[in-house]
Amino acid sequence: MKKTVVLKVDPKAPNPEIIRLAADIIRNGGLVAFPTETVYGLGADALNPKAVLEVFKAKNRPLDNPPIVHVADIADVHRLAKDVPAKAVKLMERFWPGPLTLILKRSEIVPSITVSGLGTIAIRMPKHEVALALIRESGCPIAAPSANMAGRPSPTTAEHVLEDLGGRIDAILDAGPTQVGVESTVLDLTVEPPQILRPGGVPYEDLKEFLGDVALHPVAVANMDYIVDEARSPGMKYKHYAPRAKLIVVEGETIAVINKIKELASMYVDKGLKVGILSTDETSPKYDIGVVKSLGSRSNLLEIARSVFKLLREFDKEGVDIILAEGVPSTGLGLAVMNRLRKASGYNIIRV
Ligand code: TXA
Ligand code: MG
């Protein structure tokens, strides 16, 4: 067991002393969890293979699922990647810092473990003063998957990180809850047209408008149990974001969804199970049994994205056996939310 130090830090103006402390840990091959605008990441020196191995171990993450490498300067992309297409540079200029991860051909300086032996690398520049200060002070790119145990909902607060990784990592930079709440959009630029492998903080619609042509990988939509036979985004094949409780997503026209969830809820309650209902502000008053939680208003997908992982963790804390979740509109950030819910359910989706 390690002693995990929690370092409080101002999200807008991080104290340089604290950042120096955290950067020392990174430079010495240690592990520091830090906030980004999306979720907390578990960081290590991306160019130190031993340190990156420790990240996999701490999270219990399969070695064939590579982390994202975080940079604070576009110039670093050209050290980590090669044959960077003009399109990539335009995307960086438009969307960085921000929740967009680019898949590019990797350069020789990147240790094999950092990319799980692939010929490609995932890179992004986070939009968070603490993350940027940590990368700059460490003087190296920082490899960081989400700072949760593999398979669990991603952490949007330092408390979530501590829950999963306390005693397994060196430090956590605590700057309060994250803003976006779902992870970055992963865009593969090694194929034509570019393809979204994971929907996230930058909406599909924005990329479509900017690029003209962009494809959505079937797994990104996650509306079917798609068999991935090709390890382009190895993370695709693992169960993800899952609470301990069994989760069922009910999708369709709102009234029909409410009725179906009511029917299922009373059936499970009769069986003696503790039922959780993941609803929205507009629908939560309709439910009179189970533990009812609201993601926020259906007209505010930003709010919904921000609360989805937090609420999944709360249901677990309350010892719920089964969660019945309403589908939300899959436009804008809603696509990322639906991808996370569908995956968390293990594709246990009911359409009404
Ligand atoms: O917002 C985020 O992206 C957060 C914060 C911490 O930056 N990070 C994050 O990392 O979500 P992680 O490791 O949980 O997810 C990284 C995703 C995985 O689905 C992984 O399979 C994919 O990126 N990925 C990494 N390298 C890849 C590569 N070379 N080709 C395709 N997919 C890759
Ligand atoms: Mg993750």
Side-chain angles (χ1 to χ4, degrees):
M1 268 269 280
K2 290 185 177 187
K3 179 167 173 7
T4 303
V5 197
V6 180
L7 304 164
K8 292 252 184 216
V9 57
D10 187 316
K12 294 272 150 43
N15 178 335
E17 303 271 295
I18 304 269
I19 295 297
R20 217 166 294 142
L21 238 150
D24 277 342
I25 298 175
I26 296 280
R27 273 194 302 265
N28 289 318
L31 308 186
V32 177
F34 62 95
T36 75
E37 77 281 36
T38 58
V39 301
Y40 276 72
L42 177 59
D45 178 350
L47 302 180
N48 177 343
K50 275 199 189 125
V52 175
L53 177 62
E54 292 304 316
V55 170
F56 283 98
K57 283 200 204 154
K59 279 184 57 102
N60 235 337
R61 181 176 172 111
L63 283 168
D64 66 355
N65 189 13
I68 292 168
V69 176
H70 297 69
V71 299
D73 187 339
I74 289 182
D76 282 337
V77 174
H78 300 279
R79 294 173 55 222
L80 299 164
K82 61 181 180 194
D83 310 335
V84 178
K87 213 177 259 181
V89 177
K90 287 200 185 111
L91 284 162
M92 292 175 218
E93 284 165 355
R94 166 70 180 79
F95 293 100
W96 283 6
L100 178 66
T101 294
L102 302 178
I103 307 295
L104 299 163
K105 277 194 211 157
R106 69 130 159 156
S107 79
E108 315 309 328
I109 73 157
V110 184
S112 174
I113 187 164
T114 303
V115 293
S116 297
L118 298 176
T120 53
I121 182 169
I123 311 181
R124 86 173 189 104
M125 186 189 296
K127 190 176 182 171
H128 197 296
E129 289 312 319
V130 174
L132 293 171
L134 179 68
I135 299 164
R136 283 192 201 108
E137 185 66 29
S138 301
C140 58
I142 294 186
S146 49
N148 51 299
M149 267 296 177
R152 297 263 302 140
S154 295
T156 56
T157 66
E159 289 74 30
H160 296 161
V161 179
L162 206 56
E163 247 169 53
D164 280 18
L165 301 176
R168 304 173 70 92
I169 63 177
D170 298 295
I172 305 174
L173 285 167
D174 178 1
T178 59
Q179 292 301 304
V180 179
V182 291
E183 303 90 333
S184 61
T185 302
V186 177
L187 181 68
D188 188 348
L189 289 174
T190 68
V191 290
E192 194 52 51
Q195 190 176 41
I196 295 175
L197 303 181
R198 177 180 75 179
V202 171
Y204 163 76
E205 292 87 341
D206 293 11
L207 290 175
K208 172 117 185 137
E209 191 188 306
F210 188 77
L211 289 169
D213 199 5
V214 59
L216 255 176
H217 195 283
V219 169
V221 183
N223 60 357
M224 58 179 129
D225 204 344
Y226 187 87
I227 307 300
V228 185
D229 49 12
E230 163 200 12
R232 194 133 55 81
S233 189
M236 287 173 166
K237 65 175 180 276
Y238 295 109
K239 185 164 179 187
H240 264 106
Y241 318 117
R244 282 179 258 276
K246 177 183 158 80
L247 191 142
I248 300 174
V249 188
V250 183
E251 299 179 23
E253 194 257 320
T254 311
I255 307 285
V257 167
I258 295 170
N259 288 333
K260 186 70 189 176
I261 289 183
K262 280 180 154 177
E263 175 196 325
L264 291 170
S266 49
M267 182 188 92
Y268 286 117
V269 167
D270 285 348
K271 285 188 181 168
L273 296 181
K274 186 163 178 181
V275 175
I277 298 176
L278 190 60
S279 63
T280 49
D281 289 353
E282 290 81 359
T283 59
S284 60
K286 313 276 186 213
Y287 302 108
D288 47 15
I289 51 170
V291 179
V292 183
K293 292 185 188 292
S294 173
L295 286 163
S297 169
R298 290 187 160 261
S299 63
N300 187 351
L301 290 166
L302 206 77
E303 188 188 7
I304 289 181
R306 208 176 275 167
S307 56
V308 63
F309 286 134
K310 183 182 84 190
L311 295 188
L312 291 179
R313 280 178 183 260
E314 282 181 15
F315 279 125
D316 275 346
K317 278 226 169 109
E318 295 182 37
V320 156
D321 301 299
I322 183 153
I323 303 166
L324 304 169
E326 292 177 1
V328 298
S330 55
T331 50
L333 281 180
L335 184 65
V337 174
M338 287 313 295
N339 166 280
R340 304 309 185 268
L341 285 177
R342 286 165 174 166
K343 288 187 133 192
S345 77
Y347 304 98
N348 207 334
I349 304 162
I350 295 176
R351 292 211 168 73
V352 289

